Amino acid sequence: MLAVLAESPDSGIIDYGDTTVLHKNQDAVVLEYLDFYKQSSDSNQNELKYLVFDSKFTNYENLRKLDENNVNFITIRRRGKNIIDEIIHIPKGDWSTVRVACAGNKTRVLKVHERIEFLKGYGKEIREIIITGHGREKPAIIITNDQDIKVEKVIRKYCHRWLVEKTISEKIEFFHLNRLSSSMVIKVDFDLTMSILAHNLYRILAIETVKYSQLTAEKLFVKMISNSGTVSINNDQIELTLKKKRYLPLFLEMMEKYNNQSYPWLFNKKLIFKAATTL
């Protein structure tokens, strides 16, 4: 099964998913996403500014179409043997050193070589940044049509792509995305849709808790969702009295602002979350 996911790097919300990708048209998925984004965007303020993706996601001809649509992109150029040999013979004086911010207020020192190259298939020159010292045997070759952004920011932006892969890994481990309910396409599509919905609900919960916005869905489940208690239903509200737990006060504080909200799918009743007085 081929599938595509698009994730906002700021919120971690997945805003696009498709399981109908075929091998023969997989290079055109990026243009389909661009059409989807234009149709779903309500104003120019929400205009698509950047796309970051893997080298195998699309071809160079479609990169040119993104450029013609004024969409900045960052991706990796495919490394052939001739390109690797050429990079090896770049003079040492043509390399520079940059410090890139990492997690935990740390920085990483990388060697980079920046140049403008004509890219066959793309049909014109493009900005190319060659990186070594990143922990891999072969150099990474980043290409982008953004000529103004600093090298450090280009590298940081591309690193955000790994967040999508981390999300997919989380879906496999916690939501069991690799254990599909059926081989039928319609059910596979439903499985992915429900997994995206569950992921986004957990991301909203994480964003609401502020201090724990970086927690994974699994950790949020253990700390806040996995609990028991009693349910009381009356004419106008439903009370959920939850057993005491370390993170329960934080959860109750967050849910307090929803106490006066009625839910049509619960016959317009209110949901009230409370803490049990005993264990």
Side-chain angles (χ1 to χ4, degrees):
M1 183 187 82
L2 283 178
V4 59
L5 297 173
E7 178 180 297
S8 169
D10 296 326
S11 63
I13 296 291
I14 296 177
D15 58 11
Y16 183 81
D18 184 11
T19 59
T20 61
V21 181
L22 302 177
H23 283 284
K24 63 181 181 181
N25 68 345
Q26 62 183 10
D27 289 336
V29 170
V30 66
L31 302 179
E32 294 175 5
Y33 174 71
L34 183 60
D35 292 338
F36 163 82
Y37 197 95
K38 288 180 176 179
Q39 293 172 5
S40 60
S41 181
D42 296 330
S43 67
N44 291 330
Q45 294 180 351
N46 198 30
E47 185 179 356
L48 184 64
K49 297 179 180 179
Y50 253 103
L51 281 176
V52 182
F53 44 83
D54 183 65
S55 61
K56 297 180 181 180
F57 185 54
T58 191
N59 54 32
Y60 295 148
E61 288 82 1
N62 287 334
L63 292 184
R64 179 64 181 266
K65 292 178 182 178
L66 290 178
D67 185 69
E68 292 170 351
N69 279 275
N70 298 317
V71 176
N72 286 332
F73 61 82
I74 298 176
T75 186
I76 292 286
R77 183 179 179 183
R78 299 179 187 180
R79 299 166 299 194
K81 184 179 182 300
N82 293 336
I83 296 177
I84 298 297
D85 291 340
E86 181 190 350
I87 292 173
I88 293 174
H89 292 93
I90 295 176
K92 291 183 178 180
D94 292 344
W95 293 84
S96 59
T97 300
V98 299
R99 290 183 176 273
V100 180
C102 302
N105 295 323
K106 297 180 180 180
T107 58
R108 186 168 189 174
V109 178
L110 303 173
K111 287 186 177 181
V112 301
H113 173 71
E114 187 175 354
R115 62 187 183 183
I116 301 297
E117 285 284 298
F118 181 85
L119 199 60
K120 188 177 179 181
Y122 186 64
K124 64 175 187 177
E125 292 182 333
I126 196 168
R127 184 183 181 188
E128 186 175 276
I129 302 169
I130 303 170
I131 305 168
T132 62
H134 58 304
R136 302 291 180 90
E137 182 179 350
K138 295 182 180 179
I141 309 172
I142 295 179
I143 53 176
T144 177
N145 60 341
D146 189 341
Q147 303 296 334
D148 301 321
I149 186 174
K150 292 183 178 180
V151 172
E152 295 89 336
K153 288 189 176 181
V154 172
I155 298 172
R156 285 284 295 169
K157 279 183 177 290
Y158 186 76
C159 288
H160 280 299
R161 186 184 70 82
W162 296 106
L163 297 178
V164 179
E165 296 192 8
K166 180 181 177 183
T167 298
I168 295 173
S169 176
E170 180 182 302
K171 289 182 184 304
I172 292 173
E173 292 175 7
F174 183 63
F175 297 115
H176 305 296
L177 186 61
N178 59 338
R179 299 177 187 176
L180 302 175
S181 61
S182 173
S183 59
M184 295 175 60
V185 174
I186 187 170
K187 289 188 177 182
V188 169
D189 190 47
F190 179 76
D191 281 350
L192 182 66
T193 301
M194 295 304 294
S195 295
I196 291 175
L197 174 60
H199 166 84
N200 287 346
L201 288 174
Y202 271 101
R203 284 306 309 149
I204 293 172
L205 175 61
I207 293 169
E208 290 280 337
T209 53
V210 184
K211 292 181 180 180
Y212 303 97
S213 59
Q214 300 304 317
L215 289 182
T216 64
E218 183 176 7
K219 289 184 178 178
L220 282 169
F221 174 79
V222 172
K223 292 178 182 296
M224 296 187 180
I225 305 301
S226 181
N227 199 353
S228 59
T230 58
V231 179
S232 301
I233 303 175
N234 55 37
N235 293 332
D236 59 350
Q237 68 182 33
I238 300 174
E239 286 190 1
L240 291 91
T241 305
L242 302 174
K243 290 184 177 180
K244 290 183 178 181
K245 199 173 182 179
R246 180 179 178 182
Y247 292 91
L248 182 59
L250 178 64
F251 179 78
L252 294 178
E253 181 182 350
M254 182 188 64
M255 296 304 298
E256 189 175 354
K257 59 185 174 182
Y258 301 108
N259 282 348
N260 295 320
Q261 181 173 322
S262 300
Y263 298 88
W265 50 278
L266 289 175
F267 305 100
N268 289 319
K269 296 181 185 293
K270 297 177 182 179
L271 275 177
I272 309 296
F273 291 88
K274 299 170 62 178
T277 55
T278 58
L279 292 175

